[in-house]
Amino acid sequence: MFRRKKGAWRSSEGGFKDHPPPPPRSKFNLVWPAACLVLLLALGSSVNFCRSACDRAAIEPSRRVIAPSLKAEFQGKKLVFVFSTGRTGTKHFSSVFAGKEALVNHQDEADLVSAKEAVNKFYRPFAAKNDTALAREFLAEVKLPMINSRLQAADAKVYFQTGHVPLAFGMAPILLDLLGSKTFAVVRIRRDRIQQALSLMALGPESEDPWSEDSESLSRRWFPRPSDVHVRLKPDPRVWNSFNRFQRYLWLVDDTECRWQLLKREYVFDHLEVQMESLLQLNGVEEYEKIAAFVGTGLSPRESIHARDNSIEQKGRDNVKWVADEKTLRFWDEQYRKLVGPCVVNQNLMYKW
């Protein structure tokens, strides 16, 4: 009984013979493994590219189809924001405007995120580095869903946020992109420049100003800094360092106006401009009625309208008094105007003192 030898083959003549030597390799035999390796590497790169693209899409909501879905969810609704520096009566607004038609809120940014956390984790990084992906993620996945759920729960169509924070940090263009011009609206509130600067200074001591070196000040003063990407007035660092505290807050007031001029020229949306002093006149109720009509809500009783509250006292902060007479303040203002430089709105429009 014969057994087949391992590695042997059956001959046509019968029996088994040792396996013949392999034929010489052709050029094809030498090339095809390399070709396969190149093909595999190319496929791997494609997979990695697709995977990295998906990863970017997961991090950057702008690459996902979120804007159309948000626009659909907010169709027929109106979200009204305030464009100001703060200290323009916006806290008072949250108690003046009321009614079943609209939800009025001062500065809730999210159900599970405090306003301070929203400023420090989302708004400031966006303003400092133009981190659009981070801002869109917060607005599209946290803030706007919160607003929508509240509107649905109250069966309301209008949401009025009276706080200055989102637009102060340059969020208006992103909100417009996510919501559309039919949903997004703005109330622009101005105040006398000098009085505005003094009121902002009164929030606390100089060590708490947002441009100080104290990191805690960033948590207490929700204002942009001259180094932020979205600001329009860009004084030279030497000029900035020469400004006193009052002049730096004048800069904040003027930069806010400069950014507003850019926004309303670059984008189409409903807006109403209000001078705070007009609300304090004998016919101030008529001015409040104009705002209520624009927003789409009612007004509290007349007594509540005239009973102004002071958010500094409510927050338990020291009301720091700035000791300077009017002549000195105007001199500092004149000095500041000569140094601050122009407000460049766009290529065709520039404001300067």
Side-chain angles (χ1 to χ4, degrees), residues 28-45:
F28 175 77
N29 289 335
L30 295 174
V31 170
W32 79 263
C36 289
L37 179 60
V38 171
L39 180 60
L40 288 173
L41 289 174
L43 289 172
S45 299

Side-chain angles (χ1 to χ4, degrees), residues 57-283:
I59 297 172
E60 185 178 346
S62 63
R63 293 179 182 269
R64 286 177 283 168
V65 186
I66 57 173
S69 63
L70 279 173
K71 289 176 182 177
E73 290 177 15
F74 283 96
Q75 188 173 8
K77 299 174 184 178
K78 185 176 183 179
L79 273 61
V80 185
F81 297 89
V82 164
F83 199 108
S84 82
T85 60
R87 301 301 300 154
T88 51
T90 53
K91 174 66 176 177
H92 182 58
F93 276 20
S94 62
S95 60
V96 166
F97 300 99
K100 296 183 298 182
E101 307 88 352
L103 291 179
V104 183
N105 177 268
H106 183 48
Q107 57 190 22
D108 283 357
E109 297 300 326
D111 288 325
L112 301 177
V113 179
S114 68
K116 178 187 291 188
E117 290 176 312
V119 169
N120 291 336
K121 294 181 179 179
F122 301 100
Y123 292 161
R124 283 205 181 280
F126 167 70
K129 302 177 182 179
N130 197 28
D131 192 342
T132 306
L134 183 66
R136 288 180 66 93
E137 182 178 15
F138 174 71
L139 293 175
E141 299 182 8
V142 181
K143 183 176 178 66
L144 293 179
M146 174 206 71
I147 292 175
N148 197 33
S149 65
R150 290 186 179 185
L151 288 173
Q152 291 176 348
D155 194 23
K157 297 293 185 182
V158 176
Y159 190 90
F160 185 19
Q161 178 164 346
T162 67
H164 73 284
V165 170
L167 304 196
F169 287 100
M171 295 288 167
I174 301 178
L175 284 167
L176 263 166
D177 182 48
L178 293 173
L179 296 171
S181 59
K182 293 182 179 180
T183 301
F184 178 85
V186 176
V187 175
R188 166 70 173 124
I189 308 176
R190 295 186 183 88
R191 186 177 178 181
D192 175 85
R193 293 173 60 257
I194 290 179
Q195 294 303 315
Q196 177 76 86
L198 291 173
S199 182
L200 292 166
M201 290 170 58
L203 284 169
E206 187 172 4
S207 60
E208 295 179 355
D209 291 345
W211 34 79
S212 73
E213 298 300 323
D214 181 14
S215 59
E216 178 61 23
S217 67
L218 297 179
S219 299
R220 295 175 67 89
R221 301 291 172 262
W222 299 340
F223 310 132
R225 313 174 81 183
S227 57
D228 287 342
V229 176
H230 73 294
V231 304
R232 303 299 298 174
L233 278 179
K234 297 282 190 179
D236 184 272
R238 290 177 298 176
V239 171
W240 175 262
N241 291 333
S242 71
F243 286 162
N244 62 31
R245 191 179 184 216
F246 170 71
Q247 291 169 327
R248 290 182 178 185
Y249 274 104
L250 280 177
W251 166 85
L252 176 59
V253 175
D254 289 345
D255 178 69
T256 302
E257 180 62 27
C258 187
R259 287 187 284 110
W260 169 249
Q261 294 298 329
L262 172 66
L263 182 67
K264 72 176 185 177
R265 284 171 169 79
E266 290 290 315
Y267 300 92
V268 177
F269 58 93
D270 288 341
H271 61 272
L272 177 69
E273 302 187 49
V274 178
Q275 189 70 28
M276 178 182 167
E277 285 77 9
S278 67
L279 302 172
L280 306 177
Q281 302 301 319
L282 185 62
N283 65 332

Side-chain angles (χ1 to χ4, degrees), residues 262-332:
L262 172 66
L263 182 67
K264 72 176 185 177
R265 284 171 169 79
E266 290 290 315
Y267 300 92
V268 177
F269 58 93
D270 288 341
H271 61 272
L272 177 69
E273 302 187 49
V274 178
Q275 189 70 28
M276 178 182 167
E277 285 77 9
S278 67
L279 302 172
L280 306 177
Q281 302 301 319
L282 185 62
N283 65 332
V285 174
E286 296 177 1
E287 297 299 314
Y288 280 109
E289 289 173 345
K290 290 179 183 178
I291 300 173
F294 173 78
V295 172
T297 185
L299 278 173
S300 297
R302 184 178 295 259
E303 298 77 23
S304 300
I305 294 176
H306 294 298
R308 292 289 305 279
D309 57 5
N310 191 321
S311 62
I312 292 179
E313 294 175 1
Q314 289 182 344
K315 294 173 182 177
R317 296 177 181 169
D318 296 328
N319 192 344
V320 178
K321 301 295 183 181
W322 182 263
V323 182
D325 57 27
E326 184 176 352
K327 182 179 180 180
T328 302
L329 292 174
R330 295 198 178 280
F331 170 74
W332 285 336

